[in-house]
Amino acid sequence: MIRAIRGMKDILPPETSRWQWVESQAREVFELYGYREIRLPLLEKTELFARSIGADTDIVAKEMYTFTDRSGDSLTLRPEATAQVLRACLENGLMRRAGVNKLYLIGPMFRYERPQKGRYRQFHQINCEALGSDAPELDAEVILMLVDLLGKLGIKDLRLLINSLGCPECTPDFKSQLQLFLAAQEGWCDDCRRRLVVNPLRVLDCKSQHCQALLVGAPVMEDSLCQDCARHYRRVLSLLEGAGLAYEKNPRLVRGLDYYTRTTFEVTAAGLGAQDAVAGGGRYNGLARELGGPDLPGLGFAIGEDRLLEVLPPEAGLEGRPLTFLAALGDAARERAFLCLQEIRAQGLPAAMDFEGRSLKSQMSLADRLGAAYVVILGDQELASGQALLRHMASSQQDAVPLTELAPALAARAGLKEGS
Ligand code: HAM
């Protein structure tokens, strides 16, 4: 049997209902903050990611699905969306619109990582990007929106970690200080020995406990921030405090992508194990210029939807509108029931019946397996009297309802207005 690719999973019903619910909640929240959806290709030119994410990041160095297409172009399945959202904005002139350009994108990303709980090779992100302003209010708003959404989804035990990575004015000085500190220590892992030379910030992000222990006493970015960056950071924090949001400053939070400047943040959730970051993001004021565009400050975040689903309350997103099952016996009753199906669906309610001529007993058990809230029993006798038996499965209560009234009666029980 041919199986799915390692690290890529099928998402099956009823789990898909929960994904749909999460995405509909996200769309609702994003609309409140003025975000609109953007849909972009899964494939981009490799150069886009190499230039934006950084050549010596794990993503670009080890994890991209890159191939040469039939015209000889190097293409890559997107490992993240920020670079391509910027590419699309620059290419389509979206940033010329008034005000801050706020966009969201939902879809799959691809990284050739070692699969484990919460880490997949095809995973899904809910991305938001706000372009065109460096105001700290925007940083605070983006973070508040993220936490607002996670709260509405019922995710518990969240921690918001925050840091500032400064700007090209102050980061080089910090990098040199850090490099001096790192060079004075022995015992770095192979990756860190290389990072130490090419990009010392990446050492702060090393997952090895041994390297993390060596970092005790390392210089802290906050102490090297220039005046503007320090002011920006303080303002973001004070806006979050004003909004009553608890955060933890984490001076090691450099994130796995090189485009960040100033604010960076991550949200972790309890119950996820080692891969506990449910969302991450930050500012990338230099990215548009890096991609050949104008100075266009911006920031955003991505939620890892697969991880989010793992910490979603078990019942969330599963309750839909009640299903009615029509159990019909005999050809005439089946024909009438077939009409009833459409009448009930026209009320906005799901309805199902058996097309295979099963016995009443097996139709009842099918209704049960489908999770029907109501069963309508329809035989010759009911047809003759023009009344069907409507059974509420949870309470076993049965009422005779005129066939012509069946659909509105079900709508009334579901608390729907007729036809809604
Ligand atoms: P990231 O931290 O690489 O940031 O990914 C964001 C989130 O995607 C992570 O916190 C995690 O929940 C999820 N994620 C990442 N890799 C995997 C994986 N292999 N399996 C499952 N989930 C994963 C970015 O991608 C940035 N583009 C975020 C951003 C947007 N920054 C500014 N705007």
Side-chain angles (χ1 to χ4, degrees):
M1 198 171 62
I2 300 172
R3 295 184 169 274
I5 297 166
R6 188 164 126 82
M8 305 199 180
K9 63 180 171 13
D10 304 324
I11 304 167
L12 308 172
E15 187 66 3
T16 35
S17 305
R18 286 156 58 77
W19 285 70
Q20 287 167 359
W21 180 75
V22 163
E23 287 164 19
S24 71
Q25 296 293 107
R27 289 171 199 280
E28 243 171 63
V29 170
F30 296 161
E31 205 168 295
L32 296 178
Y33 289 81
Y35 285 73
R36 290 170 306 164
E37 186 173 17
I38 185 165
R39 298 186 187 202
L40 300 176
L42 300 189
L43 280 173
E44 294 278 354
K45 292 188 179 147
T46 303
E47 189 196 351
L48 174 71
F49 301 116
R51 249 167 66 183
S52 55
I53 299 173
D56 57 290
T57 57
D58 281 355
I59 298 179
V60 173
K62 307 181 196 165
E63 297 170 358
M64 293 207 302
Y65 280 90
T66 297
F67 64 96
T68 308
D69 77 358
R70 287 171 196 274
S71 341
D73 294 326
S74 177
L75 304 183
T76 294
L77 276 168
R78 65 180 180 198
E80 65 108 42
T82 310
Q84 68 163 181
V85 170
L86 266 184
R87 195 268 306 139
C89 283
L90 297 173
E91 190 171 338
N92 297 293
L94 295 189
M95 70 288 177
R96 287 199 294 272
R97 303 225 171 120
V100 178
N101 211 336
K102 295 175 163 181
L103 298 162
Y104 72 88
L105 178 147
I106 301 177
M109 309 290 149
F110 303 84
R111 294 184 196 172
Y112 192 82
E113 292 193 81
R114 199 163 47 78
Q116 65 178 78
K117 180 176 150 64
R119 193 161 73 188
Y120 310 99
R121 289 181 174 171
Q122 174 174 330
F123 58 99
H124 302 79
Q125 282 188 344
I126 300 177
N127 263 265
C128 282
E129 311 294 351
L131 304 170
S133 165
D134 189 32
E137 285 76 7
L138 191 61
D139 303 46
E141 187 188 71
V142 161
I143 294 172
L144 286 169
M145 176 172 79
L146 169 62
V147 173
D148 189 2
L149 171 60
L150 295 173
K152 285 205 166 85
L153 295 172
I155 312 288
K156 298 268 174 339
D157 299 324
L158 296 174
R159 283 169 69 204
L160 168 65
L161 311 175
I162 191 162
N163 191 21
S164 174
L165 290 181
C167 66
E169 284 266 305
C170 45
T171 318
D173 184 39
F174 173 65
K175 278 190 182 166
S176 335
Q177 283 182 40
L178 184 62
Q179 220 150 17
L180 279 178
F181 173 89
L182 301 175
Q185 317 279 107
E186 303 255 321
W188 300 108
C189 70
D190 290 348
D191 278 343
C192 281
R193 271 207 295 279
R194 194 178 42 78
R195 290 169 180 148
L196 202 149
V197 184
V198 281
N199 187 354
L201 283 186
R202 294 261 74 83
V203 177
L204 297 179
D205 203 27
C206 181
K207 302 288 175 288
S208 139
Q209 281 190 349
H210 183 71
C211 293
Q212 283 297 321
L214 288 175
L215 279 168
V216 174
V220 167
M221 182 70 218
E222 195 176 349
D223 300 336
S224 300
L225 292 179
C226 64
Q227 267 191 8
D228 280 355
C229 287
R231 204 178 310 121
H232 192 275
Y233 191 33
R234 275 200 305 274
R235 179 95 176 122
V236 174
L237 297 181
S238 91
L239 288 164
L240 295 179
E241 281 158 28
L245 193 62
Y247 61 79
E248 294 168 40
K249 285 207 251 176
N250 181 346
R252 304 236 179 115
L253 187 71
V254 290
R255 316 254 310 112
L257 309 99
D258 277 352
Y259 50 60
Y260 291 114
T261 54
R262 294 197 165 168
T263 316
T264 54
F265 54 93
E266 254 173 37
V267 177
T268 64
L272 277 173
Q275 305 301 320
D276 65 350
V278 82
R283 227 175 222 293
Y284 41 79
N285 289 348
L287 183 54
R289 186 155 280 263
E290 193 62 45
L291 295 175
D295 272 333
L296 182 69
L299 87 155
F301 63 79
I303 300 174
E305 209 177 345
D306 310 73
R307 290 186 196 171
L308 182 70
L309 265 288
E310 282 168 32
V311 285
L312 201 65
E315 71 290 352
L318 284 178
E319 57 290 335
R321 291 185 170 184
L323 170 71
T324 301
F325 187 90
L326 294 149
L329 277 178
D331 282 348
R334 266 215 300 281
E335 209 169 309
R336 184 67 183 89
F338 191 78
L339 280 184
C340 288
L341 274 183
Q342 293 307 93
E343 288 164 10
I344 296 168
R345 290 170 182 156
Q347 298 284 343
L349 289 171
M353 70 177 280
D354 162 55
F355 293 158
E356 316 299 327
R358 288 183 169 88
S359 69
L360 183 60
K361 192 164 166 234
S362 61
Q363 288 190 59
M364 293 304 282
S365 100
L366 179 60
D368 211 35
R369 276 182 282 134
L370 292 174
Y374 296 98
V375 172
V376 175
I377 299 166
L378 205 61
D380 290 342
Q381 216 179 320
E382 285 75 21
L383 272 191
S385 68
Q387 295 219 322
L389 267 187
L390 175 60
R391 182 184 171 91
H392 182 239
M393 297 296 272
S395 63
S396 302
Q397 193 189 321
Q398 295 197 150
D399 298 303
V401 178
L403 275 173
T404 48
E405 308 273 309
L406 190 57
L410 285 163
R413 287 177 190 219
L416 299 178
K417 287 205 197 85
E418 216 169 302
S420 71

